């Protein structure tokens, strides 16, 4: 009976008190944006993810909150679209491959360039260091320094190490995002 009550309760929450929030996931190519989105939406991790051309949109249901997640391509030709898809969202998620330190200067430049846009002022930023299951990877503190996250002002900025493959720390990511639902 308790299971039935929970199902009815969850349905009532979704029906009458549902909150939808917009989240944009960006980062350089191969950072793991699509893999992360596939895993948090209940799918399985696959090694042979096809690079995103343009963007994907996926809805992720968590209780009474629906996360409408935009997954934008990370190749250079798509980066000029990032600002447009970040306008007016509840949160921006910037994903970095922390197992490939050669790409960090480029990721830092792209992130800081994006964060300077006045249209994105005040939007919370979550930086995720993906692939933390790999042995040769940066720590969260090293990522914060490499990306110069402490210099980004005028918004909440947080940083987590995750592994989309091992589903490591994904609950913390979802909890962080849901704090901004309805804002």
């Amino acid at each position: 009976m308790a299971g039935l009550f929970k199902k009815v309760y969850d349905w009532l929450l979704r029906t009458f008190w549902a909150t939808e929030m917009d989240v944009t996931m960006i980062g350089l190519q191969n950072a793991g944006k699509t893999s992360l989105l596939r895993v948090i939406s209940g799918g399985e991790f696959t090694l042979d993810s096809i690079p995103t051309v343009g963007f994907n949109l996926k809805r992720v249901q968590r209780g009474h909150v629906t996360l409408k997640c935009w997954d934008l391509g990370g190749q250079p030709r798509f980066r000029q679209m990032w600002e447009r898809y970040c306008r007016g969202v509840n949160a921006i998620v910037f994903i970095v491959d922390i197992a490939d330190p050669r790409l960090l200067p480029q990721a830092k430049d792209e992130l800081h360039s994006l964060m300077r846009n006045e249209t994105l002022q005040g939007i919370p930023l979550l930086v995720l260091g993906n692939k933390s299951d790999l042995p040769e990877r940066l720590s969260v503190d090293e990522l914060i320094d490499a990306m110069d996250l402490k210099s980004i002002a005028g918004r909440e900025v947080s940083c987590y190490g995750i592994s989309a493959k091992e589903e490591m720390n994904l609950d913390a990511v979802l909890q962080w995002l849901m704090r901004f639902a309805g804002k």
Side-chain angles (χ1 to χ4, degrees), residues 38-39 60 118:
R38 183 180 301 120
V39 170
V60 178
E118 286 191 25

Side-chain angles (χ1 to χ4, degrees), residues 75-85 110:
Q75 298 87 345
R77 71 180 187 265
F78 298 121
R79 294 178 196 160
Q80 74 245 10
M81 295 184 344
W82 288 0
E83 184 270 338
R84 188 173 357 155
Y85 282 90
E110 293 291 346

Side-chain angles (χ1 to χ4, degrees), residues 58-118:
K58 202 173 234 19
R59 292 178 187 276
V60 178
Q61 185 74 43
R62 285 291 183 261
H64 69 287
V65 177
T66 300
L67 302 171
K68 190 167 75 176
C69 299
W70 296 94
D71 163 22
L72 301 182
Q75 298 87 345
R77 71 180 187 265
F78 298 121
R79 294 178 196 160
Q80 74 245 10
M81 295 184 344
W82 288 0
E83 184 270 338
R84 188 173 357 155
Y85 282 90
C86 289
R87 285 183 215 153
V89 298
N90 298 84
I92 298 168
V93 178
F94 193 90
I95 301 166
V96 180
D97 177 350
I98 57 173
D100 192 350
R102 296 170 302 130
L103 296 176
L104 286 171
Q106 185 180 11
K108 173 188 163 193
D109 290 347
E110 293 291 346
L111 176 63
H112 283 265
S113 173
L114 184 68
M115 293 296 104
R116 283 192 290 272
N117 282 289
E118 286 191 25

Side-chain angles (χ1 to χ4, degrees), residues 5 9 13 19 47 66 68 74 82 84-85 89 97 104 106 124 138 144 149 151 156-158 170 183:
F5 177 76
Y9 177 75
L13 278 178
T19 302
L47 280 174
T66 300
K68 190 167 75 176
W82 288 0
R84 188 173 357 155
Y85 282 90
V89 298
D97 177 350
L104 286 171
Q106 185 180 11
L138 295 176
I144 289 169
L149 296 182
S151 74
E156 179 163 341
V157 179
S158 293
L170 301 187
K183 290 186 178 180

